[in-house]
Amino acid sequence: MSLTDQLMTDMKVAMKGHDKVGLSVIRMLKSALMNKKIEVGHDLTTTEEQQVVVSQMKQQKDSLVEFQNGHRDDLVAQTKEQMAVLDKYMPQQLSESAIRQLVQQTATDIGAESKADFGKLMKAVMAKTKSQADGSVVNQIVKEVLS
């Protein structure tokens, strides 16, 4: 079942269950998927769909940080609820140890040894992980490996 089909099914369940938060998040995600489809000009692949979900989750995390800094507890709670719904559609994430192993292997493969190779190594690792790893976690591990 494609993500779009899953969203349609979940939308019906949310409507019947009067789940306003769930319905709002599903509509937001459907809209983001449709915008991406229009942008690329073809039906989205599974990888592209996953990238859209990861992007939406990143936006929610960024919003959460801003709301916490602004002491907006009402919006913090609402954003956490939205993130919980969105988490159901997130692709399986790699563990930190798996990311570390991938970074070390990639560094060996491309010959990255110093901090000057940071950008090259980040690009190579992110291409391999696609949407299975958070960029900030990869960034931190790459810095540790290159230091």
Side-chain angles (χ1 to χ4, degrees):
M1 178 182 284
S2 74
L3 181 58
T4 307
D5 295 337
Q6 181 67 41
L7 288 171
M8 288 302 293
T9 303
D10 292 350
M11 183 184 286
K12 290 175 187 174
V13 171
M15 283 179 177
K16 289 179 183 177
H18 302 288
D19 179 8
K20 291 181 181 182
V21 173
L23 188 58
S24 169
V25 171
I26 291 168
R27 285 180 173 156
M28 173 194 63
L29 190 53
K30 281 186 57 157
S31 175
L33 287 167
M34 184 59 69
N35 289 340
K36 182 69 173 183
K37 180 179 177 181
I38 291 168
E39 178 184 322
V40 296
H42 59 78
D43 288 340
L44 298 178
T45 63
T46 303
T47 304
E48 291 171 330
E49 288 177 341
Q50 290 175 345
Q51 289 171 343
V52 170
V53 175
V54 169
S55 173
Q56 292 297 311
M57 181 61 89
K58 183 174 178 356
Q59 287 180 4
Q60 292 293 326
K61 286 179 182 178
D62 292 345
S63 296
L64 182 64
V65 169
E66 292 299 320
F67 294 148
Q68 287 171 335
N69 291 341
H71 305 291
R72 293 294 309 269
D73 296 332
D74 56 329
L75 295 176
V76 168
Q78 180 183 1
T79 303
K80 285 182 179 180
E81 286 179 42
Q82 292 172 347
M83 288 172 67
V85 174
L86 196 55
D87 194 45
K88 294 190 298 189
Y89 305 105
M90 286 286 291
Q92 183 67 34
Q93 299 291 294
L94 295 172
S95 67
E96 189 172 324
S97 61
I99 296 170
R100 186 173 305 281
Q101 184 178 11
L102 180 65
V103 168
Q104 290 171 341
Q105 180 62 44
T106 305
T108 304
D109 292 347
I110 66 172
E113 298 174 354
S114 68
K115 291 184 179 183
D117 299 323
F118 177 81
K120 184 169 66 169
L121 183 55
M122 272 297 290
K123 184 177 179 181
V125 171
M126 290 307 290
K128 289 181 180 180
T129 61
K130 304 244 186 260
S131 55
Q132 295 179 320
D134 184 10
S136 60
V137 174
V138 174
N139 184 319
Q140 177 186 5
I141 293 172
V142 167
K143 285 180 181 176
E144 290 172 12
V145 168
L146 291 179
S147 59

